[in-house]
Each structure stands twice: as structure tokens, then as C-alpha cells.
Amino acid sequence: MVRVVMLLLAFAFACGPEDVTQVLDTRIVTADGANPLEGGDYDLLRIVWAQSGYDTVVQELDLTGDGFEVGFELDLLASSRARVELTGPSGALLHGAPPQFSPAESGLFLRVVVGEPGTCRRVSRLEGAEPARADSAYVRWQGYVIQFGGMADSGPTTAATFSDLYYAEAGTPLEDLLEPVGATKAAFFGSTTALVLAANGTWTYELDGAQVEGDERAAPKLLYDSAGIGSAIVRTGEGVVLVAGGGDASSPDVGIARVATNGRAVLSGLIGARAFAGAAPAGTSDVIVAGGTRAPGAPFVEWVDMSTLAITTVDDPATEAVRNEPLVLEGESSHWIVGGTDAAGDPITTSWVLSGCPEACALEPGPEVDVRTAPRADGLTLTDGLSVFTAVEAGGWHLEPVADLARERNAAGIVVYESGMVFLHGGRDPDGPHLDGELCFPAELTPLD
């Protein structure tokens, strides 16, 4: 295995006036954990290193050995980003990046997985603890992703696990949920407390803030009666969570709950009842709720002012009665409402662009897009279970391909690094749910220099 050791100087700590030498141990590996030099003709290693408050540093090394020391200034607590690129005389290229991190938080150790641009590769270290499952809530927490519940081969599960983004590892068990929950949605409303929506109600799950360990305080969260898997859930940039609508197709509900970072819930109502709606942030504090199975007369979109819970409504010209679980994607100047299924469970290929809210809301038809029946998204990156795409607002909303998945992953978890790399885990194909995961490498990583 190639071992690239970065010898880094930190600022002086309170324990003494002298600078302290620290070592950030960085292992560069392929998705299967192998030495990348064994699989191709690479002779140049390029490392770009950026910390908040410091100049970006670029180092290029001739690959003449199996270990290297690279000197950078290191602030243990600074938000840090890195890019790694291996190139060869034939033009071959591998690249990769860790998630954004602070060196102290990562334990002064990183594993950078590299791969061919425009590909997805199964990662051996993403094979986690049982059970393999799909339809679980997949929520980022610091440098980890927490996975709640889901559907295993045996049915609904109580499993709660976390994946470690720093080391590209997955599946470590947490304290189980109190009951099997099946398909779930979730969001963190505080620094360590998640709100989990399931078919059997709403639950809180408390993490130990010092370590990623589940506490035994998973407990029912009393919101409005219909809150659960039929509700939309979204976290604002301020850390406040909105739960909206609920019930099922035969009895949608108007309930909404604003859950503050301290867990206090304020209840109110939508203008129109809906179940299985989509939702997204709107700026730092407001929220959009769109689509779903709507009661007669319910507006297509409701813009919720989270400070007052006042609502601005928008109707669609097509009076689309059912668009279950659409994606609502937030751009710089508009939102794109795309995907979802009709009353028969078939994918809807039309889309809508919402702009001008809340002062002068305008809803216009967007492009035709087929993203299958169960797309998952993190920000503007989405997967339809077969491929990964980036939604782009510039030039008119459209999808640009990132890569095809190594295997089919319907209802998989998805997390995007700031570099553009995509981390996926679980999901299912016709043979059942998966235990493993994969990383997707975009054609170009977001540049640092």
C-alpha cells in the first residue's frame, strides 16, 4: 500500500511556547483498498491542501518510492480540504478527495480513495454490519452518516448504524431503535438529536456528542397525530426542522410542526392537506413544501415563513392532483420540482420551476426528466438508483451525468462531499437489499487552487 505521510507543523498550544510537530497520516488507496500504483502507470502525485484562513498549498512529487513526507503548515482545528491526483505519461488519471475535515476531528488519519474520473466503484470498507437494507434515513452528522431503520430482507428493522466518511468505512452499530420502523426519513434538529419519521410515528434519537455512540434515549416524539413517513421533513440552514403534512393517500393532513434546535415543537397547519409531499430549504430560514397527494383545492406549493409559520401559496396550471415524493431542489434564484410518482406509482416526467417567492411567486413548466420512481438527493446531486446526476440551474434547469453506479441501488443513501465526490450506501436491486456501498468520482473535482 502506498503510504503518503504529510509532516505538518501546528501552531503552539497552551502547553508550551514552542511549535509542536504533528503528523497527518494519509493513506491513498483504490476502492478495493489496493496500492494505486499497482494498477497503472503513474509517475506524478499532485496534492492540493487548503485550510480556512491560510493560503492554498500545492505539492507535486515524483513517485520514486513508497513513502513521502510533505511539509505543510497545520492548524489542528481549522476546516481543511484536500485534493489528490495521480497522473502518468500515457495520460492516465486517478483522483480523489476526503470529506472536509479538521485534522483533530479525523484523529490525524485520513484515507483518500482514488478512482477514474466519471466512474463509480464499490468500496470494500463500506460493507457494514447487518442488516443489508434500503429505504433507511441517511443523515450526515459531522464526519459521519447516520442510518436509521429501513427495509431488510426480513422486513422492517430496528437497526441504527453510522458510516465514517473520513476512513470510508460503514456499518458500525449504534443503539437500536426501540421498535422496527421500516422506511424512514430523518433530520437533526440539534447538534446531537435526530427526529426520525416512520410508519409508526415520530421518534427522537440522541447521539453522544463526544463519540459516535447511540444513547438509549430513543423515544417517541409527540407532534401532530398524522406525522410520520407520509410527512415531508426538512432542516433549514439555521438548524430548525419542519415536518409538514402526513397521513396517507386516503386521508392527507394539514399539520405542520416547527421543531427548534432545543427540541421545542410549535404546531400549526398548511393551507391544504397533503401526504407524501417534497420539501426543501428556501434561503437560510424558510421552507418550500410541494406536491404530494393533495386534498381537493390544496395548492401545489406552500412557502412557509419559519419565523411566523405564515404561508404563501402557489397553484400549478395543470392542477396536478398527485405527485408523491418529488424532489425539490434549491438553486441560486429558483427551485426545481422534479420526479415523483402518480397515483398508480408510475414516474412523472414533467417538472416545475418556482421563482420569485415569496413576494411574486411564479411557477413555470420545466423540462421533461425521467428519474425513475425513487430518486434520492443530497443538495443538487441525485441518484435514480442506476446513475448519479448533478442538477444545474444555469442555462435552464437540467441534469448533467456524474457516473453510472457499479450496481443498481434503488432507495440508497447518498451524501456528497464538497469536492463533488459522491458516497452511496445500501439500496436494493431485484435480488434484494445491499450491504455494501460505493464512491463516485466526478469528471473534475471542485478546484481549490
Side-chain angles (χ1 to χ4, degrees), residues 139-154:
V139 190
R140 186 159 186 173
W141 184 79
Q142 300 180 14
Y144 308 92
V145 181
I146 313 299
Q147 192 172 6
F148 296 111
M151 296 296 294
D153 272 332
S154 58

Side-chain angles (χ1 to χ4, degrees), residues 1 16 29 31 49 81 125 129 133 145 170 175 184 195 199 215 218 221 267 292 307 311 317 355 416 436 439:
M1 177 186 296
V29 298
W49 171 257
R81 296 177 292 163
R125 297 175 69 89
R133 60 203 197 270
V145 181
E175 195 74 34
T184 54
L195 178 63
D215 204 325
K221 178 71 173 176
L267 305 184
S307 62
I311 292 174
S355 60
V416 183
D436 68 348
L439 279 170

Side-chain angles (χ1 to χ4, degrees), residues 300 316-318 320 323 335-337 351-354 363-366:
F300 182 61
D316 66 286
E320 194 176 85
R323 184 188 283 259
H335 285 76
W336 192 22
I337 302 166
S351 69
W352 296 98
V353 178
L354 177 71
L363 190 68
E364 299 179 352

